[in-house]
Amino acid sequence: MKNKQPHFATRTIHSGYDPQQHQGALTPPIHTSSTFAFETVEQGGAAFAGDNERHIYSRLGTPSQQQLEHRLADLEGAEAALVTASGMGAITSAIWSLIEPGDEIIADKSLYGCTFSFFEHGLKKFGINITYMDLSKPQFLAEHITANTKLVYTESPSNPNMRLVDIAAVAHITRQHGIKFMVDNTFCTPYLQNPIALGADIVVHSATKYLGGHGDLIAGVVAGSAEDLLHIRHYGLKDMTGAVISGYDVALLMRGLKTLHVRMDRHCDNALAVAKHLQNSPYVKQVIYPGLSDFPQAELVKRQMRHAGGMLAFELNGSREQAADFVNHLELIYCAVSLGDTESLIQHPASMTHSTYTEEELIAHLINPSLLRLSVGIEHVDDIIADLDQALESVFNGGSGNKELSALP
Ligand code: 3LM
């Protein structure tokens, strides 16, 4: 292995941790200590002055958190990474560190509901201006940039409507203007997309989703340059948000990461099959999935993503009540927010994840109020499709339900 960068799959399992440094323990020990003892005052003073060899207090990190951060930095192709208590903890810790009153952020129109709420109802109160634009058209970015613009922010694909932003094209413009570019890579994970390699400065994640992968933890990640990350850790996280991850969640996240590549492959395969199936249903008006050949940004998908991911959005050929009725008829697929879990999860963004937007804001931000969002899990794909079919038949054709699924234990 010497002199050769191991493959992604190998790095999800090995990077950032050497068992021989931990009495041979194959799995990293869990550190629960809130504080770390010094041998002398002088040693403590040196640690506070920046001697990184010693830990101080777990709001600043622990040994196992550090191992996880090294692994995540490696996977994202970043100099450094920081793990936080939630995705919102990552986003807020990073942004509070980078902006000041009077600064402007340019954000894509479509954002996860709580990110939008943080911008709209949080940052704006503190004198930060937010300009929303359609970043899928980067040719118009320069005309929105002013002397006060500090940051450009996007998701790609966006939550929930799966719009893509050309990360390399936006990064080209932000570099020219000396502005930071932050990308929420939650839907893709570093397995499918590497924003830093495409020119972004900072990547954030809700690690609650695919990175953890099992619906048993809440966590977030920030990755970027060592300089930015030091500032975000020592200011945004330590003083502004205090969104510190617990040692137990570090261990769960480390475990989840080891199977990221395997799970993502199955999520992608299942989502493509489900998307194609829904597209052929007479009860479905439209399916938005980056892997479909008629996806409007199919060329960008090829350039920017390794596979099309496990998320899709679709609209039924019916009323909002029928959409709700359809979800209520599902037997295997849970009606739940969140995504990236082994279980398939469906939800109605306008009334759930994106209820922080008013009806008018949904339209202005390109979020169709009738969309349903499906996080395709890694159950057998035939069972997922059968469940969707029986619910569609029940709503639109008075169907009798799926007998095979009803017989499941
Ligand atoms: C959801 N999303 O169901 P946490 N960035 C993106 C996200 O999708 C999310 C976050 C950040 C959902 C959560 S809605 C009540 C449940 C693209 C979360 C925030 O703080 O770890 O939840 O991440 O879309």
Short mmCIF file of all heavy atoms in Angstrom, two decimals, residues 164-217:
data_model
loop_
_atom_site.label_atom_id
_atom_site.label_comp_id
_atom_site.label_asym_id
_atom_site.label_seq_id
_atom_site.Cartn_x
_atom_site.Cartn_y
_atom_site.Cartn_z
N LEU A 164 -29.68 20.78 -9.34
CA LEU A 164 -28.22 20.73 -9.21
C LEU A 164 -27.61 22.11 -9.45
O LEU A 164 -28.16 22.90 -10.21
CB LEU A 164 -27.64 19.77 -10.25
CG LEU A 164 -27.31 18.36 -9.79
CD1 LEU A 164 -28.52 17.67 -9.21
CD2 LEU A 164 -26.75 17.54 -10.96
N VAL A 165 -26.49 22.35 -8.79
CA VAL A 165 -25.72 23.56 -9.04
C VAL A 165 -24.35 23.11 -9.56
O VAL A 165 -23.75 22.19 -8.99
CB VAL A 165 -25.59 24.39 -7.74
CG1 VAL A 165 -24.57 25.50 -7.89
CG2 VAL A 165 -26.96 24.96 -7.35
N ASP A 166 -23.89 23.76 -10.60
CA ASP A 166 -22.58 23.42 -11.18
C ASP A 166 -21.49 23.98 -10.25
O ASP A 166 -21.17 25.17 -10.27
CB ASP A 166 -22.50 24.05 -12.59
CG ASP A 166 -21.23 23.65 -13.32
OD1 ASP A 166 -20.21 23.34 -12.65
OD2 ASP A 166 -21.25 23.66 -14.56
N ILE A 167 -20.96 23.11 -9.41
CA ILE A 167 -20.05 23.54 -8.34
C ILE A 167 -18.78 24.14 -8.93
O ILE A 167 -18.32 25.20 -8.47
CB ILE A 167 -19.74 22.34 -7.40
CG1 ILE A 167 -21.04 21.92 -6.70
CG2 ILE A 167 -18.67 22.71 -6.37
CD1 ILE A 167 -20.93 20.62 -5.91
N ALA A 168 -18.22 23.53 -9.95
CA ALA A 168 -16.98 24.06 -10.54
C ALA A 168 -17.21 25.44 -11.14
O ALA A 168 -16.36 26.34 -11.00
CB ALA A 168 -16.45 23.09 -11.60
N ALA A 169 -18.38 25.63 -11.78
CA ALA A 169 -18.65 26.93 -12.42
C ALA A 169 -18.81 28.02 -11.36
O ALA A 169 -18.28 29.13 -11.51
CB ALA A 169 -19.90 26.83 -13.28
N VAL A 170 -19.52 27.71 -10.27
CA VAL A 170 -19.70 28.71 -9.20
C VAL A 170 -18.35 28.99 -8.54
O VAL A 170 -17.99 30.15 -8.28
CB VAL A 170 -20.74 28.23 -8.16
CG1 VAL A 170 -20.77 29.15 -6.95
CG2 VAL A 170 -22.13 28.16 -8.80
N ALA A 171 -17.57 27.93 -8.28
CA ALA A 171 -16.27 28.11 -7.60
C ALA A 171 -15.34 28.99 -8.43
O ALA A 171 -14.59 29.80 -7.88
CB ALA A 171 -15.62 26.74 -7.37
N HIS A 172 -15.43 28.86 -9.74
CA HIS A 172 -14.59 29.68 -10.63
C HIS A 172 -14.87 31.16 -10.37
O HIS A 172 -13.95 31.98 -10.26
CB HIS A 172 -14.90 29.28 -12.07
CG HIS A 172 -14.07 30.01 -13.07
ND1 HIS A 172 -12.71 29.82 -13.19
CD2 HIS A 172 -14.41 30.96 -14.00
CE1 HIS A 172 -12.24 30.62 -14.14
NE2 HIS A 172 -13.26 31.32 -14.64
N ILE A 173 -16.16 31.49 -10.22
CA ILE A 173 -16.55 32.90 -10.03
C ILE A 173 -16.21 33.37 -8.61
O ILE A 173 -15.68 34.47 -8.43
CB ILE A 173 -18.06 33.07 -10.34
CG1 ILE A 173 -18.32 32.69 -11.79
CG2 ILE A 173 -18.52 34.50 -10.06
CD1 ILE A 173 -19.77 32.45 -12.14
N THR A 174 -16.48 32.54 -7.60
CA THR A 174 -16.20 32.98 -6.22
C THR A 174 -14.69 33.19 -6.03
O THR A 174 -14.28 34.12 -5.35
CB THR A 174 -16.74 31.98 -5.17
OG1 THR A 174 -16.25 30.67 -5.47
CG2 THR A 174 -18.25 31.97 -5.13
N ARG A 175 -13.88 32.34 -6.65
CA ARG A 175 -12.41 32.51 -6.57
C ARG A 175 -11.99 33.86 -7.14
O ARG A 175 -11.19 34.58 -6.55
CB ARG A 175 -11.70 31.41 -7.37
CG ARG A 175 -11.77 30.05 -6.72
CD ARG A 175 -10.49 29.76 -5.92
NE ARG A 175 -10.78 28.77 -4.89
CZ ARG A 175 -10.46 27.49 -4.96
NH1 ARG A 175 -9.80 27.06 -6.01
NH2 ARG A 175 -10.76 26.68 -3.98
N GLN A 176 -12.57 34.18 -8.31
CA GLN A 176 -12.21 35.46 -8.96
C GLN A 176 -12.53 36.65 -8.05
O GLN A 176 -11.85 37.66 -8.07
CB GLN A 176 -12.99 35.63 -10.26
CG GLN A 176 -12.43 34.84 -11.41
CD GLN A 176 -13.32 34.95 -12.65
OE1 GLN A 176 -14.52 35.24 -12.55
NE2 GLN A 176 -12.72 34.72 -13.80
N HIS A 177 -13.60 36.51 -7.23
CA HIS A 177 -14.03 37.62 -6.38
C HIS A 177 -13.52 37.50 -4.95
O HIS A 177 -13.90 38.32 -4.09
CB HIS A 177 -15.57 37.73 -6.37
CG HIS A 177 -16.13 38.22 -7.67
ND1 HIS A 177 -16.32 37.40 -8.77
CD2 HIS A 177 -16.52 39.46 -8.06
CE1 HIS A 177 -16.82 38.11 -9.76
NE2 HIS A 177 -16.95 39.36 -9.36
N GLY A 178 -12.74 36.49 -4.65
CA GLY A 178 -12.21 36.32 -3.29
C GLY A 178 -13.29 36.06 -2.25
O GLY A 178 -13.21 36.51 -1.10
N ILE A 179 -14.34 35.31 -2.67
CA ILE A 179 -15.47 35.01 -1.77
C ILE A 179 -15.44 33.52 -1.44
O ILE A 179 -15.09 32.70 -2.29
CB ILE A 179 -16.80 35.32 -2.51
CG1 ILE A 179 -16.87 36.79 -2.85
CG2 ILE A 179 -18.00 34.91 -1.68
CD1 ILE A 179 -17.97 37.07 -3.85
N LYS A 180 -15.86 33.18 -0.22
CA LYS A 180 -15.89 31.75 0.14
C LYS A 180 -17.15 31.09 -0.46
O LYS A 180 -18.20 31.71 -0.55
CB LYS A 180 -15.92 31.59 1.65
CG LYS A 180 -14.63 32.08 2.30
CD LYS A 180 -14.02 31.01 3.16
CE LYS A 180 -12.85 31.56 3.96
NZ LYS A 180 -11.56 31.33 3.30
N PHE A 181 -16.98 29.82 -0.80
CA PHE A 181 -18.08 29.05 -1.39
C PHE A 181 -18.31 27.81 -0.53
O PHE A 181 -17.40 26.99 -0.35
CB PHE A 181 -17.71 28.68 -2.84
CG PHE A 181 -18.74 27.87 -3.57
CD1 PHE A 181 -20.10 27.96 -3.26
CD2 PHE A 181 -18.35 27.01 -4.59
CE1 PHE A 181 -21.04 27.21 -3.96
CE2 PHE A 181 -19.29 26.26 -5.29
CZ PHE A 181 -20.64 26.36 -4.97
N MET A 182 -19.51 27.70 0.02
CA MET A 182 -19.83 26.60 0.93
C MET A 182 -20.90 25.70 0.28
O MET A 182 -21.91 26.20 -0.22
CB MET A 182 -20.37 27.17 2.26
CG MET A 182 -20.44 26.13 3.36
SD MET A 182 -21.11 26.77 4.93
CE MET A 182 -19.94 28.00 5.37
N VAL A 183 -20.67 24.40 0.31
CA VAL A 183 -21.60 23.44 -0.31
C VAL A 183 -22.08 22.44 0.73
O VAL A 183 -21.28 21.82 1.43
CB VAL A 183 -20.92 22.69 -1.48
CG1 VAL A 183 -21.86 21.65 -2.07
CG2 VAL A 183 -20.45 23.65 -2.55
N ASP A 184 -23.40 22.28 0.81
CA ASP A 184 -23.98 21.23 1.65
C ASP A 184 -24.01 19.95 0.80
O ASP A 184 -24.77 19.86 -0.17
CB ASP A 184 -25.39 21.66 2.08
CG ASP A 184 -26.03 20.66 3.04
OD1 ASP A 184 -25.73 19.45 2.93
OD2 ASP A 184 -26.86 21.08 3.88
N ASN A 185 -23.19 18.99 1.18
CA ASN A 185 -23.01 17.76 0.39
C ASN A 185 -23.78 16.58 0.97
O ASN A 185 -23.46 15.43 0.72
CB ASN A 185 -21.50 17.44 0.35
CG ASN A 185 -21.09 16.56 -0.81
OD1 ASN A 185 -21.77 16.52 -1.84
ND2 ASN A 185 -19.98 15.84 -0.65
N THR A 186 -24.81 16.89 1.77
CA THR A 186 -25.55 15.83 2.49
C THR A 186 -26.14 14.78 1.56
O THR A 186 -26.03 13.58 1.82
CB THR A 186 -26.69 16.47 3.32
OG1 THR A 186 -26.11 17.36 4.27
CG2 THR A 186 -27.52 15.43 4.03
N PHE A 187 -26.79 15.21 0.47
CA PHE A 187 -27.50 14.25 -0.38
C PHE A 187 -26.52 13.31 -1.10
O PHE A 187 -26.88 12.20 -1.44
CB PHE A 187 -28.35 14.99 -1.43
CG PHE A 187 -29.75 15.34 -0.97
CD1 PHE A 187 -30.01 15.60 0.36
CD2 PHE A 187 -30.79 15.42 -1.88
CE1 PHE A 187 -31.30 15.93 0.79
CE2 PHE A 187 -32.09 15.75 -1.48
CZ PHE A 187 -32.33 16.00 -0.14
N CYS A 188 -25.30 13.78 -1.36
CA CYS A 188 -24.36 12.98 -2.15
C CYS A 188 -23.40 12.17 -1.29
O CYS A 188 -23.05 11.05 -1.65
CB CYS A 188 -23.55 13.89 -3.06
SG CYS A 188 -24.42 14.33 -4.55
N THR A 189 -22.90 12.78 -0.22
CA THR A 189 -21.77 12.23 0.55
C THR A 189 -20.51 12.29 -0.32
O THR A 189 -20.60 12.34 -1.56
CB THR A 189 -21.96 10.77 1.04
OG1 THR A 189 -21.62 9.86 -0.01
CG2 THR A 189 -23.34 10.50 1.58
N PRO A 190 -19.34 12.22 0.30
CA PRO A 190 -18.11 12.28 -0.52
C PRO A 190 -17.96 11.09 -1.46
O PRO A 190 -17.14 11.11 -2.36
CB PRO A 190 -16.99 12.30 0.52
CG PRO A 190 -17.61 11.86 1.80
CD PRO A 190 -19.04 12.23 1.74
N TYR A 191 -18.75 10.06 -1.28
CA TYR A 191 -18.68 8.91 -2.19
C TYR A 191 -19.17 9.28 -3.59
O TYR A 191 -18.67 8.77 -4.58
CB TYR A 191 -19.51 7.75 -1.62
CG TYR A 191 -19.42 6.47 -2.42
CD1 TYR A 191 -18.19 5.89 -2.72
CD2 TYR A 191 -20.57 5.84 -2.88
CE1 TYR A 191 -18.11 4.71 -3.45
CE2 TYR A 191 -20.50 4.66 -3.60
CZ TYR A 191 -19.26 4.10 -3.89
OH TYR A 191 -19.19 2.94 -4.61
N LEU A 192 -20.16 10.17 -3.65
CA LEU A 192 -20.74 10.51 -4.95
C LEU A 192 -20.26 11.84 -5.50
O LEU A 192 -20.37 12.09 -6.70
CB LEU A 192 -22.28 10.56 -4.85
CG LEU A 192 -23.00 9.28 -4.43
CD1 LEU A 192 -24.50 9.46 -4.49
CD2 LEU A 192 -22.58 8.11 -5.31
N GLN A 193 -19.78 12.73 -4.63
CA GLN A 193 -19.45 14.08 -5.10
C GLN A 193 -18.41 14.70 -4.17
O GLN A 193 -18.55 14.61 -2.95
CB GLN A 193 -20.74 14.91 -5.10
CG GLN A 193 -20.60 16.38 -5.42
CD GLN A 193 -21.98 17.03 -5.58
OE1 GLN A 193 -22.61 16.90 -6.62
NE2 GLN A 193 -22.46 17.69 -4.55
N ASN A 194 -17.41 15.37 -4.75
CA ASN A 194 -16.35 15.98 -3.94
C ASN A 194 -16.26 17.48 -4.23
O ASN A 194 -15.47 17.92 -5.08
CB ASN A 194 -15.00 15.32 -4.24
CG ASN A 194 -15.03 13.84 -3.94
OD1 ASN A 194 -14.95 13.02 -4.85
ND2 ASN A 194 -15.22 13.48 -2.69
N PRO A 195 -17.05 18.28 -3.53
CA PRO A 195 -17.09 19.72 -3.82
C PRO A 195 -15.72 20.40 -3.71
O PRO A 195 -15.43 21.33 -4.47
CB PRO A 195 -18.05 20.27 -2.76
CG PRO A 195 -18.91 19.11 -2.40
CD PRO A 195 -18.03 17.91 -2.49
N ILE A 196 -14.87 19.95 -2.81
CA ILE A 196 -13.58 20.63 -2.66
C ILE A 196 -12.71 20.40 -3.90
O ILE A 196 -12.08 21.33 -4.41
CB ILE A 196 -12.89 20.20 -1.34
CG1 ILE A 196 -13.67 20.87 -0.20
CG2 ILE A 196 -11.40 20.57 -1.31
CD1 ILE A 196 -13.23 20.58 1.18
N ALA A 197 -12.74 19.19 -4.43
CA ALA A 197 -12.00 18.93 -5.67
C ALA A 197 -12.56 19.77 -6.81
O ALA A 197 -11.85 20.12 -7.76
CB ALA A 197 -12.07 17.46 -6.01
N LEU A 198 -13.85 20.13 -6.72
CA LEU A 198 -14.48 20.95 -7.76
C LEU A 198 -14.26 22.44 -7.53
O LEU A 198 -14.71 23.27 -8.31
CB LEU A 198 -15.98 20.65 -7.83
CG LEU A 198 -16.36 19.23 -8.29
CD1 LEU A 198 -17.82 18.93 -7.98
CD2 LEU A 198 -16.10 19.07 -9.79
N GLY A 199 -13.61 22.80 -6.40
CA GLY A 199 -13.26 24.21 -6.17
C GLY A 199 -13.95 24.87 -5.00
O GLY A 199 -13.67 26.03 -4.70
N ALA A 200 -14.87 24.17 -4.31
CA ALA A 200 -15.54 24.77 -3.14
C ALA A 200 -14.54 24.93 -2.00
O ALA A 200 -13.53 24.20 -1.94
CB ALA A 200 -16.71 23.91 -2.70
N ASP A 201 -14.81 25.87 -1.09
CA ASP A 201 -13.90 26.10 0.04
C ASP A 201 -14.30 25.29 1.26
O ASP A 201 -13.45 24.82 2.00
CB ASP A 201 -13.91 27.60 0.41
CG ASP A 201 -13.47 28.46 -0.74
OD1 ASP A 201 -12.29 28.36 -1.11
OD2 ASP A 201 -14.31 29.19 -1.30
N ILE A 202 -15.62 25.19 1.49
CA ILE A 202 -16.09 24.53 2.70
C ILE A 202 -17.24 23.60 2.35
O ILE A 202 -18.12 23.94 1.55
CB ILE A 202 -16.56 25.59 3.73
CG1 ILE A 202 -15.35 26.44 4.14
CG2 ILE A 202 -17.18 24.94 4.98
CD1 ILE A 202 -15.66 27.57 5.06
N VAL A 203 -17.21 22.41 2.94
CA VAL A 203 -18.29 21.45 2.74
C VAL A 203 -18.96 21.22 4.08
O VAL A 203 -18.28 21.10 5.11
CB VAL A 203 -17.72 20.11 2.20
CG1 VAL A 203 -18.77 19.03 2.23
CG2 VAL A 203 -17.18 20.29 0.80
N VAL A 204 -20.29 21.19 4.09
CA VAL A 204 -21.01 20.83 5.31
C VAL A 204 -21.90 19.63 5.03
O VAL A 204 -22.27 19.36 3.88
CB VAL A 204 -21.87 22.00 5.87
CG1 VAL A 204 -21.00 23.07 6.49
CG2 VAL A 204 -22.77 22.59 4.79
N HIS A 205 -22.21 18.92 6.10
CA HIS A 205 -23.05 17.73 5.99
C HIS A 205 -23.99 17.65 7.17
O HIS A 205 -23.59 17.97 8.30
CB HIS A 205 -22.21 16.44 6.13
CG HIS A 205 -21.47 16.06 4.92
ND1 HIS A 205 -22.04 15.38 3.89
CD2 HIS A 205 -20.18 16.24 4.58
CE1 HIS A 205 -21.13 15.15 2.96
NE2 HIS A 205 -19.99 15.67 3.36
N SER A 206 -25.16 17.09 6.93
CA SER A 206 -25.88 16.46 8.01
C SER A 206 -25.41 15.02 8.01
O SER A 206 -25.79 14.24 7.13
CB SER A 206 -27.40 16.53 7.79
OG SER A 206 -28.02 15.69 8.74
N ALA A 207 -24.58 14.65 9.01
CA ALA A 207 -24.08 13.27 9.09
C ALA A 207 -25.14 12.34 9.65
O ALA A 207 -24.97 11.12 9.69
CB ALA A 207 -22.83 13.23 9.96
N THR A 208 -26.26 12.95 10.08
CA THR A 208 -27.44 12.20 10.51
C THR A 208 -27.95 11.29 9.39
O THR A 208 -28.62 10.29 9.65
CB THR A 208 -28.56 13.23 10.85
OG1 THR A 208 -28.01 14.29 11.62
CG2 THR A 208 -29.72 12.59 11.56
N LYS A 209 -27.64 11.67 8.15
CA LYS A 209 -28.22 11.00 6.99
C LYS A 209 -27.32 9.84 6.54
O LYS A 209 -27.06 8.96 7.31
CB LYS A 209 -28.46 12.02 5.87
CG LYS A 209 -29.03 13.36 6.36
CD LYS A 209 -30.34 13.23 7.09
CE LYS A 209 -30.85 14.61 7.47
NZ LYS A 209 -31.72 14.61 8.63
N TYR A 210 -26.83 9.90 5.29
CA TYR A 210 -26.10 8.74 4.75
C TYR A 210 -24.82 8.42 5.51
O TYR A 210 -24.44 7.26 5.61
CB TYR A 210 -25.75 8.97 3.28
CG TYR A 210 -26.95 9.01 2.37
CD1 TYR A 210 -27.42 10.21 1.86
CD2 TYR A 210 -27.62 7.84 2.04
CE1 TYR A 210 -28.52 10.24 1.03
CE2 TYR A 210 -28.72 7.86 1.21
CZ TYR A 210 -29.17 9.07 0.71
OH TYR A 210 -30.26 9.10 -0.12
N LEU A 211 -24.13 9.43 6.03
CA LEU A 211 -22.83 9.14 6.67
C LEU A 211 -23.03 8.22 7.86
O LEU A 211 -22.34 7.22 8.02
CB LEU A 211 -22.11 10.43 7.07
CG LEU A 211 -21.73 11.39 5.93
CD1 LEU A 211 -21.04 12.64 6.47
CD2 LEU A 211 -20.82 10.70 4.91
N GLY A 212 -24.00 8.57 8.72
CA GLY A 212 -24.37 7.67 9.82
C GLY A 212 -25.10 6.46 9.27
O GLY A 212 -24.75 5.32 9.53
N GLY A 213 -26.16 6.75 8.52
CA GLY A 213 -26.82 5.74 7.70
C GLY A 213 -27.83 4.83 8.35
O GLY A 213 -28.48 4.05 7.67
N HIS A 214 -27.97 4.90 9.66
CA HIS A 214 -28.85 3.93 10.32
C HIS A 214 -29.92 4.59 11.19
O HIS A 214 -30.55 3.94 12.02
CB HIS A 214 -28.03 2.97 11.19
CG HIS A 214 -27.10 2.11 10.38
ND1 HIS A 214 -25.93 2.59 9.84
CD2 HIS A 214 -27.19 0.82 9.99
CE1 HIS A 214 -25.33 1.63 9.17
NE2 HIS A 214 -26.07 0.54 9.24
N GLY A 215 -30.10 5.89 11.04
CA GLY A 215 -31.16 6.57 11.78
C GLY A 215 -31.00 6.50 13.29
O GLY A 215 -32.00 6.56 14.02
N ASP A 216 -29.75 6.38 13.75
CA ASP A 216 -29.58 6.25 15.20
C ASP A 216 -28.69 7.33 15.80
O ASP A 216 -28.22 7.20 16.93
CB ASP A 216 -29.03 4.85 15.55
CG ASP A 216 -27.77 4.51 14.78
OD1 ASP A 216 -27.24 5.39 14.08
OD2 ASP A 216 -27.30 3.36 14.90
N LEU A 217 -28.47 8.39 15.05
CA LEU A 217 -27.65 9.48 15.60
C LEU A 217 -27.97 10.78 14.88
O LEU A 217 -28.50 10.78 13.77
CB LEU A 217 -26.15 9.18 15.44
CG LEU A 217 -25.60 9.06 14.02
CD1 LEU A 217 -25.08 10.39 13.49
CD2 LEU A 217 -24.47 8.04 13.98
#
